[in-house]
């Protein structure tokens, strides 16, 4: 893997962040069949709900190209914050250590910003993501069930 640089999202990265959020949403079975326009609307609503100095997003660059993004939504007090994590790696950069680099960065960021816990949601069929999260010590704590009507 070549050198990975990670920095906070800037104005020039907003479209890429939107693309990464859509990629993340597309991995969820209940959203996979939605149109690009519908997913973009969902992603824009999500980003629009973020609060400055509580919610953060970062972009990874590899070989001077945007390779992936990670975002953290903060909950709780500023002295003991829970962060909810989202992560996506551009398809051409998958399996090159970008996800690992982003996870390491996010864990350090949360530790440095009074993080008390870090949570995420992942579809059980997303085996690469599950391997990554297990590698970093994440554990399953709930089981969500749904019945299609």
């Amino acid at each position: 893997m070549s050198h990975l640089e990670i920095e906070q999202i800037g104005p020039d990265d907003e479209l890429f962040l939107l693309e990464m959020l859509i990629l993340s949403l597309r991995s969820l079975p209940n959203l996979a069949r939605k149109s690009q326009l519908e997913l973009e609307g969902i992603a824009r609503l999500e980003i629009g709900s973020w609060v400055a100095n509580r919610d953060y997003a970062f972009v990874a660059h590899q070989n001077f190209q945007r390779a992936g993004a990670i975002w953290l939504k903060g909950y709780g007090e500023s002295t003991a914050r829970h962060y909810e994590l989202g992560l996506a790696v551009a398809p051409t950069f998958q399996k090159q250590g970008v996800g690992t680099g982003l996870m390491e960065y996010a864990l350090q960021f949360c530790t440095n910003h009074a993080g008390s816990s870090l949570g995420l949601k992942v579809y059980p069929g997303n085996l690469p993501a599950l391997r990554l999260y297990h590698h970093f010590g994440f554990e399953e704590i709930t089981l969500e069930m749904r019945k299609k009507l």
Side-chain angles (χ1 to χ4, degrees):
M1 175 183 92
S2 57
H3 183 68
L4 190 67
E5 291 186 23
I6 300 172
E7 60 190 12
Q8 196 158 354
I9 293 284
D12 292 343
D13 299 313
E14 290 175 4
L15 185 56
F16 180 74
L17 176 62
L18 186 66
E19 290 172 17
M20 291 296 95
L21 198 58
I22 291 169
L23 182 62
S24 175
L25 292 170
R26 203 174 287 288
S27 74
L28 302 172
N30 61 322
L31 297 177
R33 291 194 173 110
K34 298 248 183 224
S35 72
Q36 181 72 12
L37 189 60
E38 289 173 305
L39 291 173
E40 184 176 327
I42 294 167
R44 287 187 185 280
L45 283 172
E46 172 68 21
I47 292 170
S49 74
W50 293 353
V51 176
N53 299 318
R54 184 198 72 191
D55 306 322
Y56 302 92
F58 304 93
V59 63
H61 292 91
Q62 189 170 338
N63 299 328
F64 305 103
Q65 295 179 325
R66 292 177 186 97
I70 197 161
W71 48 96
L72 303 163
K73 282 197 74 153
Y75 301 93
E77 300 299 320
S78 61
T79 56
R81 188 155 285 161
H82 168 76
Y83 289 97
E84 194 72 28
L85 174 142
L87 167 71
V89 176
T92 57
F93 290 94
Q94 291 176 358
K95 298 182 182 174
Q96 296 180 34
V98 174
T100 297
L102 284 164
M103 283 297 302
E104 289 170 346
Y105 188 90
L107 288 166
Q108 188 63 53
F109 180 87
C110 291
T111 299
N112 294 343
H113 290 83
S116 60
S117 66
L118 182 59
L120 57 88
K121 293 181 181 177
V122 61
Y123 177 66
N126 189 342
L127 298 179
L130 285 169
R131 279 192 294 276
L132 176 69
Y133 301 140
H134 283 136
H135 172 78
F136 282 98
F138 285 83
E139 301 172 349
E140 294 92 9
I141 59 168
T142 63
L143 173 65
E144 181 177 314
M145 299 177 75
R146 182 173 296 136
K147 177 179 173 46
K148 287 189 177 188
L149 302 175

